[in-house]
Structures are given as structure tokens and as C-alpha cells.
């Protein structure tokens, strides 16, 4: 599931939430399953008795059958979409009953609650390819990492990809400001500070501000300047499950939340101005990132009057060159006018972004670049 092209739409196809089906007459078990569905961000349908076989059985993305109801359902060939839910780990007959109703998986509560929540959430959200996740880091202060992160996200959205931009730098002023959307409705990082475990990807996406056809998770202007690493892990994992593209703007000083983000990246871009002092500073950043990130590449930013060539800078840093980024004329005026970085389609930022995604996205979809 990626952006808005045909292969990138939600698995439900019609925009409606995919609803699991619960089949049980055990009130206590029903209460537990409703609670687990709520934890997974799902609103289930509940049916009782043998009639359940025809009550949306084939249309449901997942059918949760209470062990109490298995005997009355008869044989089926549903397979992966059916889970038999019981409580007694010492009952050898539970697997026999699972086979009889066509279930290939059994969940025993309470031990299997965590697994079952994940299984429900996967069914509701649809199982697809995780998002191509790209992190952007400045080689020195003021290198233009946040500007490039925004431009990459704008470029991916313009190409029809489902796109989420995540602000991982709490001291950067807020990417929503850079995109001209500081007053846009939607949640910011402080609302997710207590997130743990599994966050529903669709709920996350719908809660965030939508700016320039992409979703943005930014910092607000309050006193919250950090979130726990568990929150970063949970939120970024939810964003990746939605598919498409996720761009993360990261701080140069790597705290625990930033390290959590690095562990989920597919690719890191280190933005380095073509200046000797900037290269010296970026070398330290590259050495640190290299221990945590398997694929780190340099983006060398102009102007290029210093005598340092982009490929030479990448060689000095010991990382591959992702490309050159010339200076964009009128960028400050464009930002003041509410136009986002990369919003001018013929500008250097937009051209760099288009070329970058043209190379990176085919790789993500299994097509050699």
C-alpha cells in the first residue's frame, strides 16, 4: 500500500474500514475480544450460532471464532482468515476443532492477547509492503536537512504516493511551519507521547494535519521537547505499515528517540554543504550514523564555488553520493509566501526529489533501478 496510485490504495478498496467478524456465545470471551479489537483500532461485527457462516463470513478480513461455537459451524475452507480463540492450553482438542472449521491459527487467552491484537490490526489495515522510509540529517547546523525532507515529501505526494512526513527534531521549530501549516487542524507530537505497543496506522494517518497532499507529524509550539523512545518506535512503525513513503527529519545529535527512528529507516541522506568546515563536521555525523544505519548517502548542497566537487566530498565522508543539490533562488520568498520547499516544480529541490524517487521507488517495489 503506497500513495494514491492503483497499487497504493487501502486494501478495503472502498475507503470503508475492514471489520473483523466475531462468532461466540460466551459473554466473557466476547468482552475480551471486543476489548482486543478496540486495542487494534477495529470495530467488529458480532454474530451468534450456526447462522454465522453466512453472516459476512466470506467478506470479513478476519473471523474470530470462540471455541464454544466451533462445534456448530461445520467444515469450511477459509484458511488464513479464521482464528479459533480459546482459553485452555491443556486441551489437545482445540487444534482438532480448529481444523474442522477451517482455521489455521489458534489464539489462547490471555497469553495470546498481544499476538491477537497484532493479527486483528493487520487484517483491518490490510497487509502490504511497508513504506519506503527515508531519514534526512544535516551534516552541520543549517545544512538544509529540514528543507530537503519537506521537498522529498512534497515530491512523493506530487507523484501520487501516500506520503507521511515525520518531524524527529524537537528543536527544529516544526515542519508544519516550514510547510505553511502551523494553524492546520490535526494532532502534533505531544498527543502521541504516551504511545506504546501498537498504534493503528489508519487512525494515525487520519489524525494528522494534511498539507500539500501529505500527512505531517510535527511538533507544536508548547513545552514538550521530547517523546519517549517507545513512542517514536510505535508511531513510526504505524506510519510504515500504511505503505507508500515515510520521510523523517532527524536531529544531528542522536538521542534515544532518534536512534529508534534510525533502526526503522531503509535509507539515510546526509546533507552536506560544499564547504571544507561543513565536510569536517559532517564526517563526525557520518561516523556515528554509519554504526546505526546500513545505507547512508551524501547529498551535497551548493553553491559549488569552493573547489570541492560532490564526488570528492562523498569520498572524504566514506559514503556513496546520492546527488548534488544546487542553491534554489527565491526559496526564502517562496516560504514566506506559503509555498513549501519543492513546491516550484522546475526548481532544484523539486527536480532533485523527482529524480531521487524515480531511482528509489522502483527498488522498493522489487524492480531493479
Amino acid at each position: 500500500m503506497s500513495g494514491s496510485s492503483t497499487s497504493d490504495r487501502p486494501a478495503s478498496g472502498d475507503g470503508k474500514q475492514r471489520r473483523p467478524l466475531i462468532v461466540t456465545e460466551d459473554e466473557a470471551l466476547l468482552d475480551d475480544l471486543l476489548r482486543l479489537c478496540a486495542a487494534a483500532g477495529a470495530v467488529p461485527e458480532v454474530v451468534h450460532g450456526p447462522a454465522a457462516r453466512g453472516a459476512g463470513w466470506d467478506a470479513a478480513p478476519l473471523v474470530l471464532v470462540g471455541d464454544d461455537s466451533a462445534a456448530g459451524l461445520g467444515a469450511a475452507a477459509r484458511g488464513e482468515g479464521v482464528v479459533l480463540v480459546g482459553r485452555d492450553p491443556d486441551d489437545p482438542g482445540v487444534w482438532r476443532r480448529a481444523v474442522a472449521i477451517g482455521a489455521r491459527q489458534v489464539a489462547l487467552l490471555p497469553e495470546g492477547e498481544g499476538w491477537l491484537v497484532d493479527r486483528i490490526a493487520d487484517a483491518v489495515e490490510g497487509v502490504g509492503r511497508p513504506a519506503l522510509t527515508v531519514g534526512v540529517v544535516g551534516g552541520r547546523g543549517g545544512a538544509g536537512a529540514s528543507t530537503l525532507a519537506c521537498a522529498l515529501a512534497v515530491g512523493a505526494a506530487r507523484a501520487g504516493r501516500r506520503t507521511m512526513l515525520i518531524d524527529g527534531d524537537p528543536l527544529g521549530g516544526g515542519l508544519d511551519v516550514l510547510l505553511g501549516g502551523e494553524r492546520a487542524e490535526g494532532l502534533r507530537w505531544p498527543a502521541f507521547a504516551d504511545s506504546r505497543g501498537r498504534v493503528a496506522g489508519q487512525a494515525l494517518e487520519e489524525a494528522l494535519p494534511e498539507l500539500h497532499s501529505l500527512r505531517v507529524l510535527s511538533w507544536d509550539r508548547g513545552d514538550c521537547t521530547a517523546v519517549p523512545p517507545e513512542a517514536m518506535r510505535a508511531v513510526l512503525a504505524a506510519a510504515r505499515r500504511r505503505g507508500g513513503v515515510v520521510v523523517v527529519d532527524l536531529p544531528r545529535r542522536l538521542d534515544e528517540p532518534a536512534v529508534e527512528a534510525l533502526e526503522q529507516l531503509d535509507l539515510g541522506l546526509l546533507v552536506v554543504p560544499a564547504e571544507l568546515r561543513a565536510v569536517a563536521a559532517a564526517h563526525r555525523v557520518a561516523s556515528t550514523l554509519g554504526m546505526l544505519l546500513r545505507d547512508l548517502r551524501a547529498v551535497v548542497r551548493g553553491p559549488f564555488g569552493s573547489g570541492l566537487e560532490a564526488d570528492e566530498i562523498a569520498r572524504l565522508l566514506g559514503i556513496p553520493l546520492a546527488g548534488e543539490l544546487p542553491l534554489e533562488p527565491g526559496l526564502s520568498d517562496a516560504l514566506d509566501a506559503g509555498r513549501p520547499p519543492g513546491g516550484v516544480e522546475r526548481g532544484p529541490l523539486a527536480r532533485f526529489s523527482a529524480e531521487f524517487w524515480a531511482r528509489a521507488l522502483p527498488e522498493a517495489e522489487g524492480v531493479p533501478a
Side-chain angles (χ1 to χ4, degrees):
M1 299 185 302
S2 325
S4 58
S5 63
T6 302
S7 63
D8 299 336
R9 296 187 186 279
S12 60
D14 57 5
K16 297 180 180 179
Q17 187 187 55
R18 297 156 57 90
R19 300 182 65 180
L21 184 69
I22 297 176
V23 183
T24 184
E25 297 185 36
D26 182 333
E27 293 297 329
L29 181 60
L30 176 59
D31 287 344
D32 283 338
L33 292 177
L34 291 175
R35 172 174 56 83
L36 297 178
C37 284
V43 180
E45 295 183 20
V46 181
V47 294
H48 305 280
R53 180 69 75 186
W57 180 281
D58 293 327
L62 182 68
V63 180
L64 305 175
V65 179
D67 198 19
D68 65 289
S69 298
L73 290 177
R78 176 63 190 262
E80 293 292 343
V82 180
V83 178
L84 182 65
V85 186
R87 296 188 185 277
D88 186 358
D90 298 321
D91 179 8
V94 67
W95 289 101
R96 183 172 62 253
R97 292 189 292 276
V99 171
I101 65 169
R104 295 183 184 175
Q105 297 171 315
V106 172
L108 296 176
L109 306 184
E111 292 82 1
E113 286 191 355
W115 176 87
L116 190 53
V117 168
D118 285 347
R119 185 71 179 83
I120 295 167
D122 283 341
V124 171
E125 294 180 25
V127 178
R129 185 182 299 276
L132 177 64
T133 307
V134 178
V136 186
V137 186
R140 66 156 170 80
S146 296
T147 299
L148 178 58
C150 289
L152 287 171
V154 169
R158 181 186 292 126
R161 298 284 169 175
R162 168 183 277 134
T163 305
M164 191 175 296
L165 175 62
I166 295 180
D167 191 347
D169 186 358
L171 302 180
L175 294 185
D176 55 350
V177 177
L178 196 54
L179 291 169
E182 62 270 24
R183 297 183 180 178
E185 293 185 2
L187 300 182
R188 269 67 172 179
W189 261 120
F192 299 96
D194 294 329
S195 298
R196 300 290 187 277
R198 177 146 184 159
V199 174
Q202 182 175 347
L204 169 68
E205 184 177 27
E206 292 174 351
L208 299 180
E210 183 174 7
L211 302 169
H212 311 289
S213 300
L214 59 98
R215 298 286 180 165
V216 184
L217 177 54
S218 182
W219 297 89
D220 62 8
R221 265 48 68 187
D223 296 330
C224 180
T225 58
V227 295
E230 296 84 3
M232 177 65 76
R233 182 190 312 133
V235 168
L236 187 51
R240 297 188 73 236
R241 286 196 305 272
R242 293 296 286 161
V245 167
V246 174
V247 180
V248 187
D249 181 30
L250 292 166
R252 292 174 59 238
R253 292 186 177 273
L254 298 182
D255 54 11
E256 290 186 72
V259 171
E260 288 288 349
L262 282 170
E263 291 181 352
Q264 298 195 53
L265 296 184
D266 297 304
L267 168 66
L269 297 178
L270 180 63
V271 183
V272 188
E275 305 165 359
L276 186 58
R277 290 184 63 190
V279 174
H283 191 278
R284 293 187 176 185
V285 179
S287 298
T288 301
L289 292 175
M291 295 186 290
L292 301 168
L293 189 59
R294 64 181 180 273
D295 190 351
L296 177 66
R297 308 178 195 181
V299 176
V300 180
R301 185 175 65 79
F304 296 95
S306 62
L308 285 172
E309 300 294 333
D311 54 356
E312 176 65 11
I313 290 175
R315 187 190 68 79
L316 291 172
L317 295 174
I319 57 177
L321 178 66
E324 300 180 10
L325 183 59
L327 186 67
E328 176 136 352
L331 178 61
S332 295
D333 292 339
L335 296 178
D336 290 341
R339 293 192 294 273
V344 179
E345 292 194 40
R346 296 184 179 180
L349 281 166
R351 290 200 306 270
F352 179 92
S353 298
E355 293 170 2
F356 173 82
W357 293 124
R359 294 192 304 270
L361 286 171
E363 288 184 355
E365 295 175 0
V367 180

